[in-house]
Amino acid sequence: MTFFENAAIALDNLRGNKMRSFLTVIGIVVGIAAVVTVVSIGQAGQSSIVSDIARYGEGYFVVIPQGEGGSVDPALLVTPADLDRVRRLDGVVAVAGTTTQRMTTRLRATEYRLDVTGAPAEYARLASFEFVAGGFFTAAEERARQRVLVVESKFADEAFGGARAAMNQRLAFGSRSYRIVGVYESEESILSGLGGAVYKAYAPLGALPGGSSGARFGFIEAKADTGEPERLARIVADVKALLAQRHNAEPRSYMSQTGAEAQQQVAQVFSMLQIIIGSIAGISLFVGGIGVMNIMLVSVTERTREIGIRKAIGATPGLIMAQFMIEAVLLTLVGGLLGAGVGLTASWAFSAATGWPFLVSWWALLLAVGFSTIVGVFFGLYPASKAARMQPIESLRYE
């Protein structure tokens, strides 16, 4: 008997017990669906964060004061004078310290919340904005402490109906009025939408309430003239040494991270999460495999007389074993394919709801189908061998 004949018999048996077959593979479906969904969503999240980091370009890095026990020593905070000195270091092309304030404005009876970041004009060189209308405020506007504002496109669309319509409009935050001079493309990231509808905006630091009086920064962002790892590491070390010298501290009092290091760390975190959650989903596959073994043992018992007849007319133990092995593998393979379909559908729905990219991991699909096949082989082996060992006479006598 050929493989295809055995497969046809196995499919007939599965079709004859549709509900039992479906209930048997539920564990396989859930396990495979969970693995595919977790991997796809994990890759989407990783891609979203990495793309956010990558937009800063090569040579980007941050320096953060750190104290004992996770607390920051106020004496280590960076001052505007520190930034002026860092700016003059060899290899540093831009440096910025920022501070963010939550501010509220009202337009036509609608209240909007904005996180307004006070920054220098050169911050545009660090953030790599894509402007829809206007541009970033200038150094002259920063020096004059003009109350100008750069807003994201989502806010412009919501509040004014578009980026062009938002240009030169004024927003009142308490007693202060700010004029919109630029609209940049909103960033879609893994953190978008968390915390409600809060929009991002930028203004000169001196134009914010209390922004210019003794400003001290909990971190600084900078950009080097190269992304070459060794030279970038030396520039970062020079920045940390300078800050440590100016604050009478050790260089280890300041920690740093480059864009490449951040991307690598994100990839490691998401990989670990996928492995952990995927391992938990593997429990469903194991439980599903036990269900497959159980139903195959029932099938062997129900078909004892059939096995006896086949052996009596010349079927070898190998053919009997192959028939039941193929049936077990087909059972789990169908479950694997159904699970992959459910997982892809869930991933697509999640991406559509959140706006994250929909990424299909082909290796995860192949792993899911391959693993479900292995489960069928492993848990179908004992029932198949039991069927192959049956004696024809005893099988024919079975009632």
Side-chain angles (χ1 to χ4, degrees):
M1 185 175 289
T2 66
F3 170 82
F4 295 104
E5 289 174 328
N6 275 323
I9 295 173
L11 287 173
D12 285 338
N13 288 326
L14 295 180
R15 281 195 296 265
N17 299 279
K18 294 184 181 67
M19 182 57 68
R20 187 172 73 178
S21 300
F22 174 73
L23 294 175
T24 300
V25 300
I26 281 181
I28 304 293
V29 172
V30 171
I32 295 298
V35 170
V36 172
T37 303
V38 166
V39 171
S40 296
I41 293 177
Q43 287 186 331
Q46 179 179 329
S47 174
S48 181
I49 293 181
V50 168
S51 64
D52 284 347
I53 298 172
R55 72 183 177 85
Y56 291 99
E58 292 187 344
Y60 174 83
F61 64 94
V62 296
V63 177
I64 308 170
Q66 60 178 357
E68 297 294 335
S71 61
V72 178
D73 185 351
L76 298 176
L77 297 178
V78 182
T79 66
D82 294 333
L83 295 181
D84 289 336
R85 290 293 302 274
V86 171
R87 201 172 280 117
R88 295 198 292 268
L89 285 175
D90 180 46
V92 176
V93 297
V95 62
T98 62
T99 181
T100 300
Q101 299 182 18
R102 175 68 56 84
M103 304 174 75
T104 304
T105 188
R106 184 176 292 274
L107 294 170
R108 298 179 298 278
T110 302
E111 187 175 86
Y112 298 94
R113 294 181 299 164
L114 289 88
D115 281 341
V116 182
T117 298
E122 65 184 307
Y123 187 77
R125 300 179 64 183
L126 294 168
S128 302
F129 293 110
E130 294 183 9
F131 283 95
V132 181
F136 210 69
F137 52 82
T138 65
E141 289 171 329
E142 178 193 354
R143 287 192 297 270
R145 298 181 182 179
Q146 291 188 22
R147 294 175 183 173
V148 291
L149 202 64
V150 177
V151 300
E152 64 173 319
S153 59
K154 282 194 297 187
F155 172 75
D157 294 339
E158 181 70 24
F160 300 105
R164 296 293 178 186
M167 289 297 295
N168 295 314
Q169 296 287 346
R170 288 193 169 272
L171 298 179
F173 300 103
S175 61
R176 293 173 175 243
S177 177
Y178 292 79
R179 180 173 59 90
I180 297 176
V181 296
V183 180
Y184 68 94
E185 187 68 39
S186 297
E187 306 154 9
E188 294 295 338
S189 73
I190 195 171
L191 302 178
S192 296
L194 297 183
V198 180
Y199 303 98
K200 294 181 181 180
Y202 294 85
L205 181 61
L208 294 182
S212 61
S213 58
R216 297 176 75 85
F217 308 108
F219 69 97
I220 63 171
E221 300 173 72
K223 194 167 188 177
D225 59 5
T226 179
E228 195 275 318
E230 291 186 4
R231 175 163 167 75
L232 180 58
R234 288 197 298 269
I235 294 172
V236 173
D238 290 343
V239 172
K240 292 162 65 175
L242 174 63
L243 293 175
Q245 179 185 7
R246 290 180 60 82
H247 291 267
N248 297 317
E250 296 292 329
R252 65 173 179 271
S253 298
Y254 293 88
M255 64 171 291
S256 62
Q257 188 172 58
T258 66
E261 291 171 345
Q263 292 183 39
Q264 184 179 7
Q265 187 174 10
V266 167
Q268 290 175 345
V269 169
F270 273 93
S271 296
M272 186 61 66
L273 287 174
Q274 289 175 352
I275 290 173
I276 293 173
I277 300 176
S279 299
I280 295 173
I283 297 175
S284 296
L285 292 174
F286 182 77
V287 173
I290 294 175
V292 170
M293 177 183 286
N294 182 55
I295 206 66
M296 291 306 299
L297 287 172
V298 171
S299 180
V300 168
T301 302
E302 289 178 344
R303 295 156 62 187
T304 298
R305 286 182 62 84
E306 175 193 332
I307 294 170
I309 293 171
R310 292 189 63 192
K311 283 197 168 188
I313 61 177
T316 64
L319 288 174
I320 299 294
M321 188 170 185
Q323 178 186 343
F324 284 92
M325 284 294 295
I326 290 173
E327 189 169 327
V329 170
L330 282 176
L331 195 62
T332 55
L333 186 58
V334 169
L337 293 173
L338 287 174
V342 171
L344 289 176
T345 302
S347 301
W348 175 83
F350 186 86
S351 298
T354 61
W356 296 356
F358 173 55
L359 300 178
V360 177
S361 176
W362 295 108
W363 69 263
L365 293 177
L366 293 175
L367 179 64
V369 174
F371 193 76
S372 62
T373 303
I374 293 173
V375 168
V377 172
F378 181 80
F379 287 97
L381 189 61
Y382 174 69
S385 63
K386 180 180 179 181
R389 291 196 305 267
M390 285 184 175
Q391 298 299 320
I393 299 301
E394 293 178 1
S395 300
L396 291 170
R397 288 176 178 175
Y398 183 80
E399 295 295 335

